[in-house]
């Protein structure tokens, strides 16, 4: 019998569909899945022009290795046609209006994007192939802002924003699909994670950029709000690896994904400046206007379940995160 090994190899490679592929996590996840020999498809909203815009800067390295599809999540027919055509084995639903703060300003848009779209893509994935593995990106914003103990999978939800409400409702939907339809759907409840690919409006990215600019004499000072503010910050590369581990298993479940450690903005500031041989105190301006009216108590993750069950191990500690973000900014000027 003649066996066509080439064909066998092709048919065995998995097909992944990533929504939110242009974002920080989507781009790292696509890179990881390509390394793992997946065929990667990504949904891109219709108002963006594929390949022609700076909008795809995060996908530059892999743009030729992935297949992007323009899609309007409001058009059910298009969505169905595409999922049917792609036939994914694994879906990673990351697309979201991802700014918690903005969600107060536009509740209807946030709920539509973060809840209704989740419902559509979840339901379609099950309808088209009930064996699909489905990962949904939840958030620490699903919890109250006043929890002192570490948050685990049993902690009660108590969201305080349209963003948090949409994430919590979506999580319950994902759980119900798992329990009622035996669908392999999981939520990864993600705590804050950063990287060189984070949006410029976020504080750690702002610091990393400023450090490089100050080092090269292009900027004199950095203005920040409450530098005592703390978060459980990890590196996005570790978090997308966790997403893959979650979808790899045969028994779906929900997992807290965080570091279990708190650091302040000041910790990042101090380490970032020290990394380039400077003392942050000489360059810092504190502006009280930048303080949040209601800055939350720092929520802290207990990631023991994912460490124990899926053997998740982080490659980046806080020092490596600082180094990676600052190095990336320095590189831009050195080039
Ligand atoms: P980004 O903001 O970097 O990316 C968000 C992605 O969602 C982008 O691809 C964006 O597309 C897409 N998107 C936004 N609105 C729409 C829409 N209306 N229709 C279609 N696509 C849309 O977020 P991250 O990569 O950092 O986050 C990934 C997921 O993880 C999100 O669900 C987020 O809520 C969640 N999460 C992230 C945390 C973090 O610290 N990063 C913490 C907790 C949860 P476009 O490029 O066109 O804007």
């Amino acid at each position: 019998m003649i066996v066509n090994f080439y064909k066998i190899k092709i048919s065995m490679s998995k097909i992944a569909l990533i929504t939110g592929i242009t974002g920080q996590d989507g781009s790292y996840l696509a890179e990881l899945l390509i390394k793992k020999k997946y065929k990667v498809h990504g949904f891109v909203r219709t108002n963006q022009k594929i390949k022609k815009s700076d909008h795809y800067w995060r996908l530059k390295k892999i743009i030729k290795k992935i297949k992007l599809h323009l899609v309007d999540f409001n058009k059910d027919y298009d969505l169905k046609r595409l999922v049917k055509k792609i036939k994914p084995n694994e879906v990673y639903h990351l697309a979201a209006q991802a700014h918690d703060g903005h969600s107060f300003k536009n509740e209807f848009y946030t709920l539509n994007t973060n809840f209704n779209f989740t419902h559509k893509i979840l339901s379609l994935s099950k309808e088209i192939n009930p064996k699909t593995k489905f990962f949904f990106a939840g958030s620490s914003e699903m919890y109250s802002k006043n929890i002192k103990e570490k948050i685990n999978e049993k902690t009660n939800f108590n969201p305080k924003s349209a963003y948090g409400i949409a994430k919590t409702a979506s999580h319950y939907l994902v759980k119900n699909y798992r329990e009622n339809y035996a669908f392999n759907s999981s939520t990864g409840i993600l705590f804050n994670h950063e990287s060189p690919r984070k949006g410029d409006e976020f504080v750690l990215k702002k610091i990393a950029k400023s450090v490089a600019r100050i080092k090269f004499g292009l900027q004199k000072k950095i203005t920040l709000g409450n530098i005592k503010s703390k978060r459980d910050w990890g590196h996005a590369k570790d978090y997308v690896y966790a997403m893959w581990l979650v979808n790899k298993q045969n028994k779906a479940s929900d997992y807290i994904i965080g570091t279990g450690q708190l650091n302040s903005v000041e910790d990042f500031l101090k380490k970032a400046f020290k990394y380039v041989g400077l003392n942050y105190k000489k360059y810092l301006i504190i502006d009280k206007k930048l303080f949040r009216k209601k800055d939350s108590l720092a929520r802290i993750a207990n990631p023991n379940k994912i460490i124990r069950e899926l053997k998740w191990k982080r490659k980046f500690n806080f020092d490596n995160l600082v180094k990676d973000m600052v190095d990336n900014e320095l590189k831009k000027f050195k080039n």
Side-chain angles (χ1 to χ4, degrees):
M1 190 176 71
I2 299 167
V3 179
N4 188 335
F5 287 102
Y6 179 70
K7 267 196 177 157
I8 288 175
K9 201 174 162 207
I10 293 294
S11 65
M12 277 165 63
S13 74
K14 287 192 183 161
I15 300 168
L17 169 62
I18 304 174
T19 71
I21 195 166
T22 52
Q24 169 187 254
D25 294 3
S27 62
Y28 281 124
L29 178 64
E31 282 171 21
L32 174 75
L33 296 181
I34 287 168
K35 275 199 199 126
K36 303 277 178 200
K37 310 281 181 226
Y38 282 67
K39 287 181 183 169
V40 177
H41 294 254
F43 278 175
V44 179
R45 37 180 157 171
T46 37
N47 55 353
Q48 312 292 351
K49 284 204 181 94
I50 288 188
K51 290 185 193 173
K52 285 194 182 139
S53 140
D54 282 352
H55 195 76
Y56 296 90
W57 62 276
R58 294 181 175 110
L59 297 171
K60 224 159 61 186
K61 274 206 246 169
I62 52 164
I63 197 89
K64 291 198 175 124
K65 296 183 181 161
I66 55 179
K67 183 106 180 77
L68 299 178
H69 307 268
L70 289 171
V71 60
D72 179 346
F73 277 17
N74 290 303
K75 293 190 178 148
D76 294 3
Y77 176 76
D78 280 3
L79 209 54
K80 186 166 183 171
R81 186 181 48 79
L82 274 174
V83 179
K84 248 182 165 167
K85 194 172 137 196
I86 296 165
K87 292 194 188 67
N89 308 100
E90 295 179 20
V91 173
Y92 295 84
H93 178 48
L94 312 182
Q97 187 296 95
H99 294 262
D100 180 55
H102 292 194
S103 76
F104 291 104
K105 293 177 200 136
N106 203 340
E107 295 162 37
F108 288 92
Y109 174 73
T110 301
L111 281 162
N112 190 38
T113 307
N114 294 8
F115 178 69
N116 291 335
F117 292 176
T118 306
H119 192 187
K120 282 182 194 177
I121 188 85
L122 177 67
S123 154
L124 275 177
S125 303
K126 176 186 124 335
E127 184 190 323
I128 288 162
N129 177 8
K131 294 210 156 47
T132 307
K133 292 180 173 181
F134 189 97
F135 177 91
F136 168 65
S139 162
S140 56
E141 296 296 336
M142 289 154 63
Y143 300 99
S144 149
K145 297 187 188 257
N146 289 310
I147 299 184
K148 291 199 180 79
E149 63 276 12
K150 286 190 174 184
I151 293 171
N152 65 27
E153 292 75 7
K154 295 196 175 110
T155 307
N156 289 334
F157 299 116
N158 189 5
K160 297 287 178 196
S161 62
Y163 173 84
I165 291 166
K167 290 284 185 188
T168 309
S170 297
H171 158 69
Y172 276 122
L173 210 54
V174 166
K175 187 169 181 283
N176 272 270
Y177 268 58
R178 184 168 74 228
E179 291 169 356
N180 294 340
Y181 305 123
F183 189 55
N184 199 308
S185 46
S186 306
T187 300
I189 302 174
L190 305 162
F191 281 60
N192 297 72
H193 48 284
E194 310 279 316
S195 74
R197 295 188 191 167
K198 191 84 176 183
D200 286 352
E201 63 280 25
F202 291 89
V203 66
L204 301 195
K205 181 71 179 289
K206 177 178 172 179
I207 296 172
K209 272 189 117 162
S210 298
V211 164
R213 290 177 59 80
I214 288 170
K215 181 70 185 170
F216 283 92
L218 298 165
Q219 185 177 320
K220 290 202 162 59
K221 298 278 178 188
I222 174 167
T223 306
L224 294 171
N226 181 11
I227 60 168
K228 301 292 176 197
S229 179
K230 288 183 178 174
R231 293 287 180 271
D232 181 330
W233 273 303
H235 194 297
K237 279 189 178 174
D238 286 329
Y239 289 47
V240 303
Y241 181 66
M243 294 175 193
W244 176 69
L245 285 180
V246 171
N247 256 358
K248 201 156 85 79
Q249 57 172 342
N250 289 323
K251 194 173 161 285
S253 191
D254 303 317
Y255 294 93
I256 294 286
I257 305 173
T259 70
Q261 286 147 20
L262 287 181
N263 283 285
S264 66
V265 174
E266 189 172 22
D267 293 333
F268 189 92
L269 194 62
K270 202 186 285 178
K271 285 175 190 284
F273 272 90
K274 195 168 171 212
Y275 185 61
V276 298
L278 301 173
N279 181 345
Y280 76 100
K281 289 189 177 154
K282 285 192 189 159
Y283 306 94
L284 178 65
I285 297 171
I286 296 289
D287 181 352
K288 294 261 177 204
K289 288 200 287 294
L290 295 177
F291 279 50
R292 284 191 183 180
K293 277 191 196 119
K294 284 190 214 158
D295 202 6
S296 54
L297 255 188
R299 278 170 290 218
I300 177 161
N302 174 351
N304 285 349
K305 182 178 170 190
I306 191 165
I307 293 170
R308 194 180 60 244
E309 290 186 7
L310 306 187
K311 311 284 175 255
W312 181 53
K313 215 170 160 197
R314 289 187 297 123
K315 285 193 179 149
F316 289 83
N317 60 22
F318 192 66
D319 284 359
N320 301 143
L321 172 68
V322 176
K323 190 170 166 308
D324 194 32
M325 290 182 73
V326 176
D327 271 342
N328 184 69
E329 296 305 322
L330 291 171
K331 210 163 57 188
K332 290 180 191 166
F333 295 109
K334 282 179 189 155
N335 288 343

